[in-house]
Amino acid sequence: KGHVEIVRFLLDKYNVPVSAATQDGTTALHAAAQYGELSVARFLVTERKADFNAKRQVGGPLDVPAY
């Protein structure tokens, strides 16, 4: 799919911290979990050290079912 490479490119090009979040606390890791993007989630955690305990208003990444 190439989603990992797209995420890597965007994080690097725009110098976005992996912990960047929306107003409700949603991070890239939350989105990856929500949309079932296991390879992106793995990349964010292993290579970019994303916090898998990060909380948003409706819970953390591990609280979101991956479909």
Side-chain angles (χ1 to χ4, degrees):
K1 288 184 178 180
H3 293 140
V4 170
E5 291 308 314
I6 293 168
V7 171
R8 182 190 320 269
F9 171 78
L10 292 171
L11 289 173
D12 291 344
K13 179 173 177 68
Y14 296 103
N15 198 28
V16 178
V18 73
S19 60
T22 62
Q23 288 181 334
D24 73 351
T26 301
T27 65
L29 184 56
H30 289 108
Q34 181 174 351
Y35 293 104
E37 294 288 342
L38 180 59
S39 59
V40 172
R42 184 177 293 124
F43 161 74
L44 291 170
V45 171
T46 60
E47 292 188 34
R48 297 301 172 104
K49 308 302 182 215
D51 180 7
F52 58 84
N53 290 311
K55 295 290 183 192
R56 61 181 183 171
Q57 290 177 358
V58 294
L62 299 179
D63 297 326
V64 178
Y67 297 98

